[in-house]
Amino acid sequence: GEPFEPQNQVGLIPLLERFKSEFPNKDVWCYTGYLFDKDLCSGRVGGENAKKMLEYIDILVDGKFIEEQKNLRLKFKGSKNQRIINVSKSLLNGEIVLWEGDKENNKL
């Protein structure tokens, strides 16, 4: 399901907190149909719980899968419109910072 749906956030926040405390050197990847900047950071979707979840997520693949933009050669995403975002760097810089491994597939 969609991790940022409000009913899912309640269970995911404690799971993310525990995972990061037990495995601080492991990266957490998350896939969402919502957009990082327009939906999640703005609080439009999920409010403060979404922002709290982002604190524990290292890499976010955002955007809906679009069949017409499907490309099997893309790494870690299904359609060209999706972005692979370095969440901590994006939050720190106040702008979207793409994951280094995806810069050739995504131009902002």
Side-chain angles (χ1 to χ4, degrees):
E2 171 59 56
F4 285 95
E5 286 298 321
Q7 65 269 26
N8 294 335
Q9 293 174 2
V10 175
L12 285 175
I13 290 172
L15 176 67
L16 289 165
E17 289 172 340
R18 182 172 176 195
F19 182 85
K20 279 306 224 181
S21 71
E22 291 186 24
F23 306 101
N25 297 321
K26 299 266 185 206
D27 286 341
V28 173
W29 282 60
C30 181
Y31 288 75
T32 181
Y34 294 116
L35 296 176
F36 176 77
D37 47 349
K38 294 180 179 148
D39 298 322
L40 304 177
C41 290
S42 70
R44 190 178 80 74
V45 174
E48 291 303 312
N49 281 340
K51 292 178 184 178
K52 179 109 177 133
M53 283 177 58
L54 290 172
E55 294 174 16
Y56 298 102
I57 295 168
D58 299 290
I59 305 295
L60 182 76
V61 180
D62 81 338
K64 294 180 181 179
F65 171 79
I66 298 175
E67 183 69 36
E68 294 78 27
Q69 295 187 32
K70 179 179 176 179
N71 184 336
L72 298 177
R73 294 183 182 188
L74 297 172
K75 294 178 184 176
F76 306 114
K77 60 185 183 176
S79 58
K80 189 172 171 122
N81 65 296
Q82 294 174 311
R83 302 175 294 185
I84 304 176
I85 298 170
N86 182 316
V87 175
S88 58
K89 286 184 180 179
S90 296
L91 293 175
L92 185 66
N93 292 339
E95 63 183 14
I96 293 175
V97 177
L98 296 178
W99 174 64
E100 291 295 322
D102 194 43
K103 288 201 174 170
E104 70 275 2
N105 291 320
N106 252 330
K107 308 288 186 237
L108 288 178

